[in-house]
Amino acid sequence: MAGDFKRSLAKMMGLDLYVEATSDDQLIQLTKNISSNTDFIHPLMCWDIASLHSVGVNMSTNENDLNSLQALTAKFGWATDFTFIKNEQSEAIVVTDATQTILWVNEGFTTMTGYEPSFAIGKKPKFLQGAETSSESRERIRNKLSSGIPFSDVVINYKKDKSPYKCLLKIYPIRNHQNEITAFMALERQVA
């Protein structure tokens, strides 16, 4: 009886791993605390959120990153306010000029890729690409960059040790006070 109930609860809520690890007594207590309205219960579709916290990845932008971006804003005369990135989840930040030459990377970039800022600055992000990086994704990103609006995409990149990883990019155009795009900022994180 309890096994059938566990399976139906697990199926209904997408909690099969959690439910299997609970005792029958714990499960009965748990069900007393669960509302009978299941209209808003959705199965857990991916472990990104849980895995980020379990491996200790810092997904919030730190003050040093914001201070560096503000210094770049003053240096290049940008009109973009970067405080919005406090709410973004990213491991790495890459800032390029309008020709996609890297101007600045944060410490998270080194942690994620293994490349030091001194290696990356002055290069185009193409050095992160490799055999599994599809020409379709490169073309998609080029087209989206020319649109002048923020966008997200996933690309296969390569770390310094040559291991591939899926990289979620959130790219934002950076504008000057004449509303011209003079740079781009990419918030990046590794995804499964």
Side-chain angles (χ1 to χ4, degrees):
M1 169 79 175
D4 291 336
F5 181 74
K6 276 187 176 184
R7 280 189 292 283
S8 66
L9 181 66
K11 183 178 178 187
M12 175 181 71
M13 298 182 66
L15 297 173
D16 36 344
L17 290 174
Y18 176 75
V19 171
E20 284 301 318
T22 61
S23 70
D24 290 344
D25 291 338
Q26 290 171 322
L27 186 61
I28 291 167
Q29 184 61 38
L30 176 67
T31 58
K32 290 178 183 176
N33 296 327
I34 297 174
S35 167
S36 62
N37 180 354
T38 60
D39 291 341
F40 299 106
I41 298 174
H42 299 284
L44 184 61
M45 298 303 287
C46 96
W47 285 98
D48 282 354
I49 295 168
S51 68
L52 292 174
H53 296 292
S54 66
V55 296
V57 174
N58 181 9
M59 295 301 284
S60 61
T61 304
N62 66 40
E63 288 300 316
N64 290 337
D65 291 345
L66 285 174
N67 290 339
S68 295
L69 290 168
Q70 288 172 343
L72 289 169
T73 297
K75 178 179 178 179
F76 293 109
W78 295 335
T80 304
D81 178 11
F82 293 105
T83 56
F84 74 93
I85 68 172
K86 286 183 177 183
N87 299 321
E88 293 284 342
Q89 293 184 342
S90 66
E91 293 175 68
I93 303 174
V94 177
V95 176
T96 69
D97 65 14
T99 68
Q100 290 92 53
T101 300
I102 296 173
L103 300 172
W104 177 82
V105 297
N106 71 344
E107 288 179 24
F109 176 83
T110 301
T111 303
M112 188 170 78
T113 67
Y115 289 104
E116 294 294 327
S118 59
F119 178 83
I121 293 172
K123 291 182 174 52
K124 295 188 184 282
K126 188 174 183 171
F127 72 87
L128 295 167
Q129 299 173 2
E132 292 182 47
T133 308
S134 75
S135 58
E136 293 85 11
S137 65
R138 289 192 298 256
E139 182 66 25
R140 231 181 11 253
I141 291 169
R142 263 192 303 276
N143 291 336
K144 289 177 181 179
L145 285 172
S146 66
S147 75
I149 58 174
F151 67 91
S152 297
D153 210 323
V154 176
V155 65
I156 304 291
N157 276 346
Y158 287 79
K159 298 180 181 191
K160 185 176 181 182
D161 68 6
K162 306 298 182 213
S163 61
Y165 66 99
K166 280 187 180 179
C167 184
L168 172 64
L169 303 169
K170 287 187 177 181
I171 299 181
Y172 299 89
I174 299 172
R175 299 178 184 274
N176 63 18
H177 294 284
Q178 290 75 41
N179 204 30
E180 301 163 326
I181 296 174
T182 61
F184 295 96
M185 176 181 62
L187 302 179
E188 304 180 0
R189 70 181 169 101
Q190 187 172 333
V191 292

